Amino acid sequence: MGFIIGIGSLLISSCGKGPESDQPVKHESDKKAEQNLLVNGHWITEQNGQVMLNPQTSGLVKWRDGLLTLSDRSADITQRLRLRSIIADKALLNGPDFPMVLSEGLKSSCFAPYISNNPDLESLVVDPDDDKVFYIVTEDGSYAEPMPQVCQQKYLNSGSTQYPTLLVRLELQSNNTVLMTHARPIQFTADMQIGDFPNDGVEALAFGQNRTLYLGVEKDSQKQARILSLTMNDEFWQTDEFAEVTQFSLKLPAFESGNHPINGMDYYQTPDGREFLLAAARNDETLWVVDLSGKKETVIVPMTFFAEVQAANQECGNYEAMDNASIEGVAVIGDTLWLINDPWKAMYLNNVKCEQNRPHYEMFAPLLFSVPIQAKWFD
């Protein structure tokens, strides 16, 4: 049901392209040729000029004058349990880092052993009313130490995985730590048919209007990506009971086979006030433009990603086409869409064409991409 959009003259010719993915179920009227938007990326570097070491990036969000990023549990130990700030137009980590610390109030929580011991963190948003407050979501808890029996009984019916998905509140402190102040499990109702997929859960968060938090799920029991919501009101953190999400009508793509997960997204409002989510479908190297009114079919924008070559020569130009970028973070700043990739350890070395970039790929270094937001996506 997705509508695949062409991007004018930005048609790829002989540039490299990754394996073709399963095609979505389309209406007969969807006859436009598939053309790919070409997107250039820059290696994210530390202050000393070295590329960022294996962050296994899991989130990206606009914050103050730049971007913040987050890593998951499979990252290098130096990247875990911290937020890192990026100067967007320089793809430069500008510091300071913001390490996460468990608050005294959370140490007695059922979830304390998990969230304090290298949890699987996915996605990151900033509170729309207080930029010192952030929210993250956990995914795979299958490896976590079992909760005490009383806790297991309390959180038995998550509607998805045995160890529930958690929303965690963070608050920036004057010493540049971010305090984990609250944690609350998410509950899916049985009729949502989310299924029990510990490593294919909530991967994307985005705030819309009126403190509506949208949650992107990689796949449900029918192997389809989902977008759900909840309202984070003033009373939200006054309890540690389940927070029940809501489903609503969206015209998302439907696929007959394969895995087509949402792995990152952000909210965008057009100049005339229409509301959309811009979501990255990691496996397909596509951007989904999702109409939040539920009236329009989702527009699918196919993309081909290019990595910069920092020492170009006759064999390699300034950029090389990537076999797989695996986008995991999406952030809107004005009319620019920023994307960050999660170096996919099983596939990342397939990107090597120019030997100059081999060391970066071997370090599982990420790239930061940007593309102008185009009005035609919302037509």
Side-chain angles (χ1 to χ4, degrees):
M1 294 181 65
F3 182 84
I4 299 180
I5 190 169
I7 310 295
S9 61
L10 297 175
L11 177 67
I12 58 172
S13 53
S14 59
C15 296
K17 185 180 179 183
E20 293 185 1
S21 58
D22 300 302
Q23 295 301 306
V25 178
K26 297 176 283 186
H27 295 295
E28 286 299 314
S29 59
D30 294 348
K31 301 295 185 181
K32 288 193 175 183
E34 184 173 338
Q35 296 178 329
N36 285 31
L37 183 63
L38 311 185
V39 186
N40 290 336
H42 297 273
W43 297 105
I44 299 173
T45 57
E46 303 279 358
Q47 289 286 318
N48 63 7
Q50 297 296 310
V51 294
M52 190 179 188
L53 173 63
N54 186 22
Q56 294 299 297
T57 328
S58 60
L60 186 72
V61 69
K62 176 187 179 298
W63 186 62
R64 297 183 178 174
D65 295 327
L67 296 163
L68 278 182
T69 188
L70 176 75
S71 297
D72 72 16
R73 72 179 299 267
S74 61
D76 185 83
I77 193 171
T78 60
Q79 310 286 357
R80 300 175 193 166
L81 281 171
R82 65 189 58 240
L83 305 181
R84 305 205 66 191
S85 56
I86 302 173
I87 300 173
D89 59 0
K90 296 182 180 179
L92 178 66
L93 291 155
N94 62 321
D97 291 355
F98 304 108
M100 300 179 196
V101 179
L102 196 67
S103 68
E104 287 297 321
L106 264 189
K107 288 181 179 178
S108 59
S109 164
C110 291
F111 312 116
Y114 174 58
I115 60 176
S116 63
N117 184 26
N118 193 24
D120 188 27
L121 303 179
E122 302 290 345
S123 199
L124 167 71
V125 286
V126 180
D127 188 286
D129 300 312
D130 185 351
D131 72 0
K132 291 184 179 180
V133 176
F134 313 96
Y135 307 105
I136 55 180
V137 65
T138 69
E139 190 180 37
D140 189 358
S142 61
Y143 58 88
E145 176 185 331
M147 290 187 289
Q149 193 64 34
V150 64
C151 296
Q152 293 184 41
Q153 289 300 314
K154 182 176 181 178
Y155 301 116
L156 183 62
N157 298 312
S158 73
S160 57
T161 52
Q162 182 176 356
Y163 197 104
T165 297
L166 305 177
L167 275 174
V168 182
R169 181 185 182 274
L170 309 175
E171 186 168 348
L172 181 63
Q173 306 298 296
S174 59
N175 63 355
N176 287 328
T177 62
V178 282
L179 202 62
M180 295 180 173
T181 62
H182 301 76
R184 193 170 173 191
I186 294 173
Q187 186 176 50
F188 306 90
T189 57
D191 64 303
M192 293 178 185
Q193 296 185 349
I194 293 300
D196 185 356
F197 303 110
N199 198 40
D200 293 285
V202 177
E203 283 262 346
L205 300 175
F207 266 113
Q209 297 295 310
N210 303 315
R211 297 190 63 83
T212 299
L213 183 66
Y214 297 101
L215 302 91
V217 178
E218 285 193 281
K219 70 177 182 182
D220 62 12
S221 60
Q222 303 303 311
K223 294 189 175 181
Q224 305 298 319
R226 299 282 292 278
I227 296 176
L228 306 164
S229 70
L230 56 80
T231 301
M232 196 171 283
N233 56 28
D234 292 341
E235 293 78 37
F236 187 85
W237 295 108
Q238 293 179 10
T239 178
D240 62 358
E241 299 291 337
F242 275 117
E244 186 175 310
V245 297
T246 300
Q247 57 184 342
F248 57 105
S249 179
L250 292 175
K251 293 185 177 180
L252 294 177
F255 296 87
E256 294 176 330
S257 61
N259 292 315
H260 311 271
I262 289 174
N263 286 83
M265 66 186 185
D266 204 357
Y267 172 86
Y268 180 77
Q269 188 173 56
T270 63
D272 60 1
R274 291 174 295 144
E275 298 179 278
F276 293 83
L277 290 173
L278 302 178
R282 165 191 172 123
N283 291 18
D284 298 341
E285 309 279 274
T286 60
L287 179 74
W288 293 1
V289 183
V290 182
D291 177 20
L292 281 172
S293 75
K295 298 176 182 177
K296 289 169 50 63
E297 298 287 341
T298 292
V299 169
I300 299 174
V301 183
M303 293 181 164
T304 295
F305 295 93
F306 290 78
E308 69 173 323
V309 181
Q310 294 175 326
N313 56 31
Q314 289 183 341
E315 288 75 31
C316 296
N318 293 324
Y319 293 91
E320 63 172 345
M322 299 180 70
D323 174 86
N324 66 94
S326 304
I327 297 299
E328 189 106 347
V330 177
V332 172
I333 301 181
D335 290 322
T336 300
L337 185 67
W338 294 89
L339 307 163
I340 195 170
N341 68 322
D342 169 23
W344 190 356
K345 290 181 178 178
M347 303 289 290
Y348 211 44
L349 292 185
N350 293 346
N351 288 310
V352 176
K353 299 179 184 69
C354 298
E355 286 300 313
Q356 298 96 310
N357 275 345
R358 179 181 292 277
H360 298 348
Y361 289 124
E362 290 178 343
M363 291 176 66
F364 302 107
L367 295 115
L368 185 65
F369 305 86
S370 65
V371 62
I373 293 173
Q374 302 186 19
K376 66 176 69 178
W377 297 349
F378 313 102
D379 291 342

